[in-house]
Structures are given as C-alpha cells and as structure tokens.
C-alpha cells in the first residue's frame, strides 16, 4: 500500500487503464501539453502520445458530444471538463445524448464514456466557478455519478468507471487533490460502483456524506467522540448507482441521521437521501433526519462570507448535537 | 507609424493614453503583490502587456457605449471610469468593492459606467452583448455594444451564434478579440483551425480587420472608425487586436508553454515604453513629464490598496441579500 495524494491516485488509475486497454483515449482543454489544469493528466502525453491524449478547443458541448460519437465507434473516451461549472455548457450532450442514446435506441448502443470534472467551492472563485452540481446529474436517468472522497476511492472508482460500459460523470473535488491516503498496489483492486463504505463505525448517529463532506464528517465525528457521541460515517462513493442498503442498515442501528452535502439544499442530493431514510427507517428514527448543505445562494467571492455558504465541521457537529437532543 | 501623433489627437489626449496605460500596469502589478501577500485570493488574471487594447479601444468608443469583457478585465473597468479604490476593494473582498465583495476579480460591473460585466465562463458575454445592442437599438439610444473576448473564446458556440445573430438582426455590436495567442496553455494554432480570427466573420457576412494591439494609437483609430461604422449602420464589425500577456494565464500559471525568448521578444514591443519613445521623439513630452505621470499612477494605486486594506468586510447578512430583486424597484435606474 502506497501513500499518495488524490491527484496522483487519479493519474495512476488513468495510466494503468490506458496501458491495459488501447481503446482508452483522453481529451479535454489543456489536458495534453499543459498536463491538466489540476495536473491530473501529468505525463500522459509523454507516455501515450498525441494520438491518445488530445487538447481540445474550448468547446465543452463538443468535448462531450465527440466522446459520445467516439464511444459509439468503439473507443472508451475519458473526457475532462476543466471544471464541473463548464458541464453546464455541455448539458445538451450530457442529458439529451449521452444519458439517453442507449435507451431511446432500444438498447442497441452502449456508451462507455467517462466525463471527469473537478468541482466544489472554498477557493474564492466566486459564483460561476464554485458549484457542486452533482444533483443535476443524479437527477437524470442514464448517468452514473461517482463522488470519491479519498485517494483510494478516487483510484478504485476511476478504474471501474473506465471499465464500465455506461456513461459516468466522475466528479472530483478541487480541495481534495492534495489530500493523502493509502492506495492498493494491485491494479486489479477496483471499487465496484454502488458500494458505500462505512468509513467510521459508531452507535449513536449516522452521518451520510460523500466527496469532501466525508472528510469533514470524519473530523466532526472525531470531535464528537470527545464529547461522548459516537458517530457512524457512511461515505456514499457513488450517487448513481446508490447503495441504499448500507445507510439504511446504519440508521436502523443508530436511530439518528444527519445527511451532509456541499450542493445547494433545495432539491439537493441530501433531500433525496433524507427521503429514502424516512421511507425506510421511519419507525426506528428517534429524531427527525437533519441535513447540512450549502446555502441556497450563488457563491459570494469574499472569503469572509464564502465560508458561511459551504458546510463546515462546526455545522456538522452542531447538527449532530441537535439530533441527539431531539426527543421523539 | 508614419502619421505624426499630433495629427491624430491633441497632446493632452495623447498624454492621457500614456497615463492610463501606466495606471493599468501599476494596478495589475500591484494586484500581483497583494495576491502574494494573501490579500487577494481566488483566481487572478492580469492584463499586463495588453494595455494598449483597453486604453485605445475605450477612447475610440462613446462614453455610454456598452462594454462587456471576460475575467481579465480590471483595466477595462478602470479606464471606463471605475474608481481604482473600489476595484481594489472588490479584489480584497471588502464591502466597499464595486460589487460589494461578492464578485471578485473576474466579475467587475458598473452599469452607471455602461460597464456591463466581467464574465468567467468563456464565451458567456457574446449573447449578452447582442442583447444589449438589441435594447439600445429598440430604445433608439444610439449606443453600441463593445464585446471584448480572447482568442480562446472563438470556439464556443456562443461566438458563432452571436455573430450570426448580430448580423441577422442588424445590431450594433463591435466584437473586439484580444488575440494574445494563448488560451491558458494552448497556443491559438492548436485550438483554432483558422487562427486568423478576423477571417472567421466571413461566414456571417460581417466585415473585420486586424490591428496591432501593442500600439495604442492603432487600436484607438481602428475602434473609433469601426464604432462609428457600427453606429451608423446598425451592423456588427469585428476587430482582432494582436497582443500578448506578459504574465502567466493566472497567478497560479508558471507559463512553461512559452519560451523565455518568445516572451522577451514581445516585451520589446511593450506598449508603454514604445509609446513613450514616440511621445518624446515627437516632442510631446519629456522623459520627466512621463516619469511624473508614472509617479501619479503609482500614487493612485497606493491609495487604492490603502483604501482596500482599511475597508470593512461585508456583513454576514450580505450572503442572503441580492438573490432576488424586489418588485416595484426600478429595474435600470442608470438609464434615466
Ligand atoms: C466555458 C469555460 N470553459 C473553460 C474555462 C476555463 N478557462 C478559463 S480562461 C480559459 C482560456 C481562455 O483563453 P482566451 O479566451 O484566449 O483568453 P485569455 O485568457 O487569453 O485572456 C479557459 C479555458 C472557462 N472559464 N469557461
Ligand atoms: Mg488568449
């Protein structure tokens, strides 16, 4: 087991899958010569050459659409959108084409396309560059959605994404690229989609989270432990397919739930998870399900107020405590 | 270069060009310093090297013509008339900023100056510029829309949609491409099948021209001529200004994709010293006069930094304000 960061874990997964399967190609804005805006594609051009690693024009809708065509033509494109905010310029190809082609053509075509897109807020990039859009993709049938929190998950899930025969929106978090963790040495040790992971065992309350919020939830759990509150942290890892069993079993055990997501609260991922908890765990709940989410406002630039809009560890701690105090 | 400067504009206007370019350079270099100190955060894209475009173009427009730009837009806002103090305060994220600290470096906006925004989604400004031109024509205001954009933006659908639309509806839009040869690390020939951007308009029946974007007089004259053409005919036009950014794409870009020799070559064409040489050679200013103007710019920027430093942070309640407008409020008070 090697200790590497999230960026290098993704990079390793890309290289290994490109070596393993010559039909894997990579393209996006500044991914080749510049080696990626976040350097996830470092060394790819040098190793695999211009035929397989390509810089594209700033034309997001076509970055996705050309990948759709290439996939229909027998390739496995891994396309990078420089950040997830620009997926909004590609929503037509993502939602109207990538997600629907298989179904509307009666299952005759499969689209093994991976769209990698970094996102999230917290770097004072203001309203157009700080979004968490996972619920947009989760909402649309036909797309898998991966949201890794750790280097090991980033590695294992990206490999699964590339090998999968379905379109995958692979959502990386910009603030996690430098985070470190151990990653298995065995290149065949992939992580299946639809398997949440209990990242911390606990008995009093279940915190359901994904992506960077998992890391914050673990920090909150650490703090709460000191105050005698035992938290179980469930990391969803993929939003589609969604592993409902793991969090339902956990909540049935702890009888309390806090759902954390960075995206806007209204119609956010947490709303869906909370609903599933209510439907499946109602009779074992000792308190209403609590949510911690991004505030329903466009992200302000000023760091003084930006941090109020993004869930912080203290917000999770507070929500857990309130859940513990609630009487059923 | 043959025409004497005095044949084009009076001394006072020529000196203003120099002073404005000096202010842009000072402002941007000071931003770099404030970023290094941690006072400015987020993305910071500096304009150093491209000053002749903002200064020449703004002077060639009417004061109430609309200006829209991308995220490398501090000088465009300042030259149009935005107070450097309030622009710097915006970059510091302070309540006194031009957008209350909510927008930051990439999102300056002041409708009272007809400065209709810095946009950080590449290509986002094209249709908005077309819409403003439509409103101006509809209301018979006689103002045109000047839409600045980079060489990287011309492969967005909105560029092509905007050109076609503006011509089809006969709208007064002046498209101004600042071709600095790079979109982040991608050289223009590696992103555009036809890298002569001004030639792209022939598919839309729109006239265009290329101009030396390192020469403030050339930009001024081209924009002045083109803007009057656009205004008279209610038709779009495109100017491609050939220029260069001296710094990386943003503060986090070391710029390894350009050779030091290439950068040095362009620095020899620095619009500031070159214009200074002409001013002196033609007897319009002495070296001392120009040093004085530079010192003035330095003082303005120093004052701006101090203002930003001393300004208060936004109140926490600002987070929830401005999401929606109240009905009954006047929508475009600046049009009065
Ligand atoms: C839709 C969209 N795609 C990608 C980006 C990321 N990005 C920011 S600037 C830029 C390059 C733009 O280059 P150009 O238009 O030449 O402007 P310059 O930076 O040279 O002023 C890119 C790709 C973005 N902001 N928006
Ligand atoms: Mg450029």
């Amino acid at each position: 087991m090697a200790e590497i960061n999230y960026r290098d874990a993704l990079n390793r997964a890309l290289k290994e899958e490109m070596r393993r399967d010559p039909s894997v190609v990579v393209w996006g804005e500044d991914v080749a010569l510049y080696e990626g805006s976040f350097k996830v594609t470092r060394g790819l051009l040098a190793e695999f050459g211009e035929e397989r690693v390509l810089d594209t024009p700033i034309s997001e809708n076509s970055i996705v659409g050309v990948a759709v065509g290439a996939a229909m033509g027998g390739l496995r494109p891994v396309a990078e959108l420089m950040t997830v905010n620009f997926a909004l310029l590609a929503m037509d190809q993502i939602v109207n084409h990538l997600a629907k082609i298989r179904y509307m053509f009666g299952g005759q075509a499969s689209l093994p396309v991976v769209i990698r897109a970094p996102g999230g807020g917290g770097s004072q990039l203001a309203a157009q560059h700080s979004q968490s859009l996972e619920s947009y993709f989760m909402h649309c049938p036909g797309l898998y959605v991966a949201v890794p929190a750790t280097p090991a998950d980033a590695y294992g899930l990206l490999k699964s994404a590339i090998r999968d025969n379905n379109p995958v929106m692979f959502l990386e978090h910009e603030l996690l690229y430098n985070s470190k963790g151990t990653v298995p040495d065995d290149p065949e040790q992939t992580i299946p989609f639809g398997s949440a992971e209990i990242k911390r065992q606990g008995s009093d309350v279940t915190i359901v989270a994904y992506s960077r919020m998992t890391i914050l939830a673990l920090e909150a759990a650490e703090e709460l432990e000191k105050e005698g509150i035992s938290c179980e942290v469930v990391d969803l890892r993929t939003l589609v397919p969604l592993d409902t069993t793991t969090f339902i079993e956990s909540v049935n055990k702890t009888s309390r739930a806090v759902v954390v997501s960075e995206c806007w609260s209204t119609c956010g991922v947490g709303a869906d998870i909370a609903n599933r908890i209510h439907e499946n765990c109602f009779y074992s709940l000792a308190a209403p399900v609590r949510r911690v989410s991004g505030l329903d406002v466009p992200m302000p630039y000023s760091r003084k107020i930006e941090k109020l809009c993004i869930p912080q560890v203290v917000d999770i701690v507070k929500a857990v405590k309130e859940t513990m105090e609630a009487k059923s | 270069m043959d025409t004497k400067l005095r044949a084009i504009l009076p001394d006072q206007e020529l000196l203003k060009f120099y002073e404005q370019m000096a202010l842009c350079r000072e402002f941007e270099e000071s931003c770099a310093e404030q970023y290094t100190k941690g006072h400015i955060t987020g993305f910071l894209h500096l304009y150093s090297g491209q000053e002749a475009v903002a200064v020449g173009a703004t002077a060639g427009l009417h004061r109430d013509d609309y200006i829209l730009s991308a995220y490398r837009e501090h000088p465009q806002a300042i030259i149009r008339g935005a107070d450097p103090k309030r622009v710097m305060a915006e970059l510091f994220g302070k309540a006194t900023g031009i957008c209350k600290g909510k927008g930051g470096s990439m999102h300056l906006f002041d409708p009272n100056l007809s400065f209709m925004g810095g946009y950080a989604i590449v290509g986002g400004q094209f249709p908005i510029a077309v819409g403003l031109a439509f409103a101006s024509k509809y209301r018979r205001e006689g103002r045109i829309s000047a839409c600045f954009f980079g060489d990287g933006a011309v492969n967005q659908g909105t560029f092509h949609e905007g050109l076609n639309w503006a011509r089809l509806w006969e709208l007064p839009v002046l498209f101004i491409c600042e071709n600095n040869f790079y979109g982040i690390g991608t050289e223009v020939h590696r992103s555009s099948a036809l890298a002569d951007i001004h030639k792209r308009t022939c598919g839309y029946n729109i006239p265009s021209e290329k101009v030396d974007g390192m020469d403030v007089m050339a930009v001024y004259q081209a924009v002045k001529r083109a803007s009057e053409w656009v205004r008279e005919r209610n038709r779009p036009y495109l100017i491609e200004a050939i220029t260069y950014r001296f710094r990386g794409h943003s503060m986090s870009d070391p710029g390894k994709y350009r050779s030091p020799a290439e950068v040095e070559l362009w620095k020899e064409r620095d619009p500031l010293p070159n214009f200074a040489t002409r001013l002196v050679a033609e007897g319009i200013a002495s070296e001392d006069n120009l040093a004085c103007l530079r010192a003035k710019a330095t003082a303005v920027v120093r004052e701006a930094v101090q203002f930003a430093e001393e300004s208060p942070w936004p109140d926490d309640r600002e987070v929830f304000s401005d999401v929606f407008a109240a009905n009954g409020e006047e929508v475009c008070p600046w049009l009065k």
Side-chain angles (χ1 to χ4, degrees):
Chain A
M1 299 271 267
E3 166 114 351
I4 58 174
N5 67 29
Y6 188 92
R7 169 190 295 107
D8 292 339
L10 291 162
N11 180 263
R12 207 180 105 191
L14 282 169
K15 284 181 178 161
E16 286 174 5
E17 292 309 300
M18 290 187 81
R19 286 175 201 141
R20 180 177 172 272
D21 180 351
S23 68
V24 177
V25 292
V26 168
W27 64 62
E29 292 158 19
D30 282 304
V31 298
L33 204 62
Y34 196 70
E35 303 191 306
S37 210
F38 294 95
K39 303 300 165 201
V40 173
T41 52
R42 185 174 277 156
L44 258 57
L45 177 65
E47 181 172 346
F48 302 102
E50 289 176 347
E51 217 179 339
R52 296 182 69 191
V53 184
L54 301 102
D55 284 322
T56 67
I58 306 172
S59 310
E60 283 81 10
N61 208 21
S62 291
I63 289 175
V64 175
V66 177
V68 170
M72 265 193 211
L75 303 184
R76 282 183 183 269
V78 180
E80 177 180 300
L81 293 172
M82 192 174 278
T83 77
V84 78
N85 307 286
F86 318 143
L88 295 173
L89 286 81
M91 280 313 245
D92 170 58
Q93 283 297 330
I94 295 172
V95 175
N96 282 327
H97 297 84
L98 181 61
K100 294 182 174 52
I101 279 178
R102 179 175 171 78
Y103 188 86
M104 74 186 180
F105 293 152
Q108 298 180 91
S110 306
L111 296 179
V113 173
V114 179
I115 307 294
R116 290 185 38 248
S123 305
Q124 294 91 58
L125 303 184
Q128 296 185 326
H129 273 69
S130 303
Q131 303 174 99
S132 300
L133 301 175
E134 52 274 13
S135 68
Y136 286 45
F137 308 117
M138 188 185 183
H139 185 62
C140 171
L143 300 172
Y144 281 168
V145 182
V147 280
T150 65
D153 291 338
Y155 173 76
L157 289 172
L158 184 53
K159 293 178 75 104
S160 293
I162 295 171
R163 295 180 191 191
D164 202 285
N165 283 349
N166 293 287
V168 179
M169 295 302 298
F170 196 90
L171 307 178
E172 299 158 16
H173 200 293
E174 291 168 25
L175 292 186
L176 292 177
Y177 281 127
N178 291 325
S179 66
K180 290 205 156 164
T182 52
V183 173
D185 296 321
D186 175 9
E188 291 310 305
Q189 215 178 307
T190 62
I191 295 169
F193 273 30
S195 67
E197 184 179 59
I198 297 177
K199 286 225 162 37
R200 181 187 175 107
Q201 307 265 352
S203 53
D204 295 331
V205 54
T206 300
I207 308 178
V208 184
Y210 60 92
S211 188
R212 176 165 176 259
M213 291 300 128
T214 297
I215 309 301
L216 268 56
L218 288 167
E219 282 175 38
E222 195 73 31
E223 266 183 44
L224 288 157
E225 183 74 56
K226 290 181 204 139
E227 303 187 31
I229 300 172
S230 165
C231 302
E232 181 145 298
V233 177
V234 175
D235 176 15
L236 296 172
R237 301 204 289 193
T238 58
L239 300 178
V240 185
L242 182 67
D243 172 5
T244 50
T245 315
T246 303
F247 69 78
I248 287 170
E249 281 175 1
S250 175
V251 176
N252 279 334
K253 178 182 83 177
T254 62
S255 77
R256 289 178 159 89
V258 172
V259 184
V260 192
S261 62
E262 186 173 330
C263 63
W264 292 303
S265 178
T266 301
C267 292
V269 173
D272 190 276
I273 305 296
N275 174 58
R276 287 171 199 258
I277 294 172
H278 279 127
E279 280 185 353
N280 291 283
C281 313
F282 186 77
Y283 297 104
S284 44
L285 283 175
V289 177
R290 281 295 303 259
R291 291 181 56 200
V292 179
S293 314
L295 294 187
D296 282 335
V297 297
M299 193 69 75
Y301 160 69
S302 180
R303 64 193 128 147
K304 154 90 164 13
I305 51 177
E306 182 199 39
K307 62 176 186 289
L308 304 175
C309 302
I310 303 169
Q312 309 286 326
V313 173
V314 289
D315 302 317
I316 304 174
V317 167
K318 186 161 163 270
V320 167
K321 283 186 183 165
E322 284 168 6
T323 306
M324 293 305 295
E325 281 156 18
K327 300 272 180 308
S328 56
Chain B
M1 279 271 179
D2 303 319
T3 325
K4 290 271 180 278
L5 295 175
R6 276 191 175 129
I8 305 168
L9 280 174
D11 288 14
Q12 173 193 339
E13 295 299 313
L14 297 167
L15 291 174
K16 199 165 109 194
F17 281 2
Y18 184 78
E19 185 180 341
Q20 289 185 330
M21 289 200 290
L23 178 60
C24 296
R25 181 69 56 86
E26 266 310 310
F27 191 90
E28 295 298 73
E29 295 304 310
S30 165
C31 286
E33 190 187 327
Q34 296 306 322
Y35 178 90
T36 312
K37 286 184 179 165
H39 292 151
I40 298 175
T41 51
F43 283 152
L44 181 64
H45 310 86
L46 300 178
Y47 196 72
S48 299
Q50 302 183 201
E51 293 85 353
V53 184
V55 171
T58 308
L61 298 169
H62 286 186
R63 178 65 181 62
D64 66 345
D65 285 339
Y66 289 121
I67 292 180
L68 295 90
S69 190
Y71 43 81
R72 199 184 296 287
E73 89 291 26
H74 315 151
Q76 278 149 352
I78 290 171
I79 298 308
R80 178 35 84 78
D83 183 349
K85 288 200 195 99
R86 292 191 58 215
V87 175
M88 190 60 88
E90 184 64 32
L91 272 49
F92 274 54
K94 296 297 184 74
T96 51
I98 187 169
C99 297
K100 304 184 197 164
K102 286 179 162 175
S105 164
M106 304 193 286
H107 305 299
L108 302 176
F109 188 83
D110 188 344
N112 292 304
L113 300 170
S114 304
F115 187 83
M116 306 312 276
Y119 299 89
I121 297 300
V122 170
Q125 69 271 43
F126 293 116
I128 302 173
V130 173
L132 281 161
F134 177 82
S136 166
K137 183 181 173 188
Y138 185 93
R139 292 162 50 92
R140 292 170 175 67
E141 291 174 339
R143 44 175 148 188
I144 73 165
S145 229
C147 182
F148 290 88
F149 56 99
D151 47 286
V154 302
N155 299 309
Q156 286 291 28
T158 49
F159 173 65
H160 300 272
E161 292 165 5
L163 287 175
N164 180 58
W165 199 299
R167 180 66 180 84
L168 189 70
W169 283 14
E170 310 220 310
L171 300 176
V173 186
L174 178 57
F175 295 93
I176 304 175
C177 178
E178 299 193 60
N179 184 354
N180 60 12
F181 297 99
Y182 292 87
I184 306 187
T186 301
E187 205 271 335
V188 62
H189 290 89
R190 300 182 62 252
S191 62
S192 278
L194 177 61
D196 288 313
I197 286 157
H198 65 285
K199 291 188 185 159
R200 293 207 174 191
T201 60
C202 66
Y204 304 100
N205 199 11
I206 294 174
S208 64
E209 72 187 274
K210 184 158 95 172
V211 63
D212 179 359
M214 303 305 264
D215 178 352
V216 67
M217 295 313 289
V219 176
Y220 164 71
Q221 288 180 289
V223 170
K224 179 141 186 71
R225 219 172 15 221
S227 62
E228 289 322 318
W229 189 95
V230 166
R231 204 184 311 278
E232 274 160 30
R233 288 175 184 71
N234 270 327
R235 286 229 187 121
Y237 192 93
L238 183 143
I239 290 176
E240 176 185 6
I242 304 295
T243 182
Y244 203 77
R245 60 167 158 75
F246 291 165
R247 289 179 162 273
H249 169 73
S250 69
M251 288 300 286
S252 55
D253 169 27
K256 292 199 184 116
Y257 45 85
R258 313 189 298 191
S259 71
E262 177 186 311
V263 178
E264 281 318 306
L265 206 68
W266 277 95
K267 282 194 174 165
E268 282 171 23
R269 306 194 46 209
D270 189 329
L272 274 141
N274 283 335
F275 191 56
T277 306
R278 278 178 79 184
L279 289 171
V280 174
E282 298 186 24
I284 295 159
S286 67
E287 291 288 359
D288 280 354
N289 294 151
L290 300 180
C292 216
L293 293 178
R294 287 197 299 274
K296 205 167 137 197
T298 310
V300 169
V301 173
R302 196 179 308 125
E303 224 181 291
V305 170
Q306 194 186 343
F307 174 80
E309 271 171 353
E310 289 168 359
S311 288
W313 290 100
D315 191 277
D316 286 356
R317 278 167 305 188
E318 274 299 332
V319 162
F320 293 105
S321 71
D322 304 324
V323 178
F324 293 106
N327 285 321
E329 258 175 27
E330 206 171 335
V331 179
C332 294
W334 57 85
L335 289 178
K336 278 284 145 69

